Amino acid sequence: MIELLQGLLLVTGSLFMLIAALGIVRLPDLLTRMHASTKGASLGVMLLMAAVALHFLEEVVFARTIAITFFVLLTAPVAAHVIGRAGYFVGIELWKGTLKDELRPNYNPLSHRLHSGLKKPAKESETDALRDGRSEGGKGDSDTRA
């Protein structure tokens, strides 16, 4: 019975990782690719580590599989967030089907800073002008200084 459960966990984890790999190849932009890789690979690793723990049935192996799973679940979303933010700051084009860009009104492309959300964000036209490289008398720079 344990072998059947191990096999099911291995196959399911491998399928999730395969779907994550296909998502990286097939999805249209950086942010959706990272979403697929982070979610699918994290779940795939969890299932594979559960199969490994069931196979060996030792406390040391179980502790290591828990540590590996915790490490992946802790680092993968943080790394994806940092890479996505860096890609956005560099100017990676979003997919044409993207409906909402929550960073745009809070991002100053000249200083590469985000407003905290507590301050009132710049008007849409000012943000567009800054993104296009036109400055309106220095507007937008004064509220980003620390």
Side-chain angles (χ1 to χ4, degrees):
M1 185 67 179
I2 289 182
E3 289 89 14
L4 182 65
L5 184 58
Q6 290 172 11
L8 183 65
L9 288 170
L10 285 172
V11 169
T12 307
S14 299
L15 283 175
F16 273 103
M17 294 184 98
L18 176 66
I19 291 169
L22 289 174
I24 292 171
V25 173
R26 301 277 315 216
L27 290 173
D29 69 345
L30 173 73
L31 300 177
T32 55
R33 288 179 189 146
M34 284 189 331
H35 178 77
S37 66
T38 303
K39 303 295 181 193
S42 297
L43 185 56
V45 166
M46 282 179 19
L47 294 171
L48 292 176
M49 289 297 110
V52 168
L54 279 177
H55 177 72
F56 289 103
L57 290 176
E58 294 178 7
E59 292 175 4
V60 174
V61 175
F62 183 75
R64 288 181 182 172
T65 59
I66 293 293
I68 291 168
T69 302
F70 180 72
F71 180 75
V72 168
L73 290 177
L74 186 67
T75 58
V78 173
H81 176 79
V82 170
I83 292 169
R85 187 175 242 191
Y88 189 88
F89 289 169
V90 170
I92 299 293
E93 292 291 324
L94 296 178
W95 177 47
K96 291 174 181 57
T98 301
L99 299 176
K100 193 172 192 179
D101 183 0
E102 293 182 358
L103 285 181
R104 187 173 185 196
N106 297 318
Y107 174 61
N108 183 346
L110 296 177
S111 66
H112 296 292
R113 293 188 183 216
L114 285 172
H115 301 285
S116 66
L118 299 175
K119 298 177 185 176
K120 186 177 177 184
K123 294 178 188 173
E124 188 97 12
S125 61
E126 291 176 11
T127 307
D128 290 339
L130 290 172
R131 185 176 288 275
D132 295 337
R134 300 176 314 225
S135 179
E136 298 178 10
K139 287 184 181 178
D141 291 340
S142 62
D143 58 347
T144 59
R145 293 186 189 131

